């Protein structure tokens, strides 16, 4: 009879710790980067720092939505950072709704 036993590598706990440390560090950097942004964002900053897409993609898929938060100041349209972040959280789709046969978290 063949018997196999799985054993973690000798340094497994340290590797797991390092992975979680890197995740926490990147999350903290994101929070700090968000805090550095001005309260009202123009579409270039919104595209680059919040959505990480081109301005053209942002225009085509997000900015034309009537429910997306914006404010008009003079001839400019600006986007309140806090309301944008809230809007994003409210519009995240859970993968179970999008692809119930796949289990991979938030998309």
């Amino acid at each position: 009879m063949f018997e196999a036993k799985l054993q973690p590598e000798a340094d497994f706990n340290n590797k797991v710790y390092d992975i979680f440390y890197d995740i926490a560090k990147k999350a903290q950097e994101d929070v700090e980067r968000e805090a550095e942004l001005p309260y009202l964002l123009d579409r270039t900053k919104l595209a680059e720092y919040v959505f990480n897409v081109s301005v053209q993609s942002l225009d085509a898929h997000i900015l034309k939505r009537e429910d997306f938060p914006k404010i008009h100041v003079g001839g400019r349209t600006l986007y309140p950072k806090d309301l944008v972040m809230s809007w994003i959280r409210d519009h995240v789709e859970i993968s179970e709704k999008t692809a119930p046969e796949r289990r991979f978290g938030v998309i």
Side-chain angles (χ1 to χ4, degrees):
M1 171 180 267
F2 178 76
E3 185 178 320
K5 292 184 180 182
L6 297 176
Q7 295 181 5
E9 295 179 32
D11 202 22
F12 179 77
N13 288 339
N14 289 337
K15 288 179 182 178
V16 171
Y17 174 83
D18 290 344
I19 290 169
F20 281 114
Y21 179 83
D22 288 342
I23 292 169
K25 184 177 177 184
K26 287 177 183 175
Q28 182 62 37
E29 289 169 359
D30 287 347
V31 168
E32 291 168 1
R33 195 174 310 118
E34 181 183 328
E36 292 173 359
L37 290 172
Y39 182 73
L40 294 173
L41 303 167
D42 62 21
R43 68 188 193 133
T44 304
K45 284 190 174 106
L46 190 65
E48 183 178 350
Y49 296 110
V50 176
F51 284 95
N52 194 30
V53 297
S54 69
V55 173
Q56 294 81 8
S57 290
L58 187 69
D59 283 342
H61 301 286
I62 302 293
L63 298 185
K64 293 182 180 177
R65 293 180 58 127
E66 288 185 26
D67 65 337
F68 192 73
K70 58 185 126 312
I71 184 169
H72 300 285
V73 179
R76 297 180 67 193
T77 302
L78 298 171
Y79 307 91
K81 174 178 64 174
D82 295 347
L83 296 177
V84 166
M85 297 306 191
S86 245
W87 184 90
I88 291 170
R89 281 189 289 279
D90 292 344
H91 289 82
V92 169
E93 296 177 19
I94 305 299
S95 62
E96 293 171 358
K97 293 179 185 175
T98 306
E101 69 282 356
R102 301 177 92 181
R103 303 280 181 206
F104 50 86
V106 176
I107 61 167

